């Protein structure tokens, strides 16, 4: 399950990923995505709510996975990606009441687990969508 991989990458001393990187690394591992090093690096700028505590990095990391798995060539050729992204973001907000990094940190960030609650929530929702869509 994706949540197990997300938790695997929580070791700050070993990995030291931001939430967005962690989600993509975990998903690449779980789903065998073989995501390029450049794609992994691209996620660096989405941590901390894109540096301004806007949209949660766990969420942006998760929707990047939707794009990687379901996009055929480009976004406009794959309207399903937009639908799945909206579904993910709505479910994430329904579970946590917001997708704003600053608000989520105030509500859920833990001294020991950091943003683990947001990452776990994102992993559960993303896994459900991917399993359903792939018919597994």
């Amino acid at each position: 399950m994706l949540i197990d991989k997300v938790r695997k990458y929580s070791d700050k001393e070993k990995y030291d990923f931001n939430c967005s990187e962690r989600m993509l690394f975990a998903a690449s591992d779980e789903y065998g995505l073989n995501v390029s090093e450049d794609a992994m690096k691209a996620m660096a700028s989405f941590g901390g709510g894109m540096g301004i505590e806007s949209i949660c990095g766990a969420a942006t990391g998760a929707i990047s996975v939707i794009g990687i798995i379901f996009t055929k060539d480009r976004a406009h050729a794959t309207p399903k990606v937009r639908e799945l992204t909206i579904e993910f973001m709505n479910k994430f907000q329904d579970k946590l009441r917001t997708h704003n990094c600053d608000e989520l940190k105030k509500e859920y960030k833990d001294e020991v687990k950091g943003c683990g609650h947001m990452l776990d929530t994102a992993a559960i929702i993303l896994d459900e969508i991917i399993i359903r869509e792939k018919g597994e």
Side-chain angles (χ1 to χ4, degrees):
M1 294 186 73
L2 180 58
I3 194 169
D4 297 324
K5 296 294 188 322
V6 165
R7 289 176 178 169
K8 169 186 163 185
Y9 288 108
S10 69
D11 185 339
K12 287 263 186 206
E13 289 182 27
K14 191 172 182 180
Y15 301 106
D16 197 26
F17 294 142
N18 69 32
C19 293
S20 192
E21 291 170 319
R22 191 164 145 196
M23 185 60 65
L24 184 55
F25 271 80
S28 184
D29 191 6
E30 175 68 13
Y31 306 123
L33 301 179
N34 299 315
V35 176
S36 73
E37 188 175 324
D38 284 343
M40 295 291 196
K41 287 179 183 179
M43 298 316 296
S45 59
F46 289 91
M50 295 173 273
I52 59 169
E53 299 205 349
S54 181
I55 304 297
C56 172
T60 56
I63 62 174
S64 75
V65 174
I66 289 172
I68 290 166
I69 291 175
F70 298 106
T71 300
K72 295 177 179 139
D73 299 320
R74 60 191 188 291
H76 291 151
T78 319
K80 181 87 171 169
V81 170
R82 184 172 193 267
E83 295 167 20
L84 296 175
T85 298
I86 291 168
E87 177 186 353
F88 174 87
M89 293 302 286
N90 285 338
K91 286 182 176 182
F92 188 85
Q93 184 163 338
D94 288 347
K95 296 262 186 201
L96 299 176
R97 294 186 299 279
T98 185
H99 40 62
N100 179 275
C101 178
D102 184 46
E103 293 173 33
L104 289 166
K105 284 180 178 178
K106 287 175 186 170
E107 179 78 19
Y108 300 107
K109 189 170 182 181
D110 178 275
E111 285 187 36
V112 175
K113 294 182 181 180
C115 293
H117 185 67
M118 288 74 92
L119 284 152
D120 286 355
T121 302
I124 291 166
I125 296 166
L126 179 61
D127 212 24
E128 289 172 357
I129 290 170
I130 290 173
I131 289 168
R132 182 193 70 219
E133 291 299 313
K134 289 183 131 196
E136 297 175 4

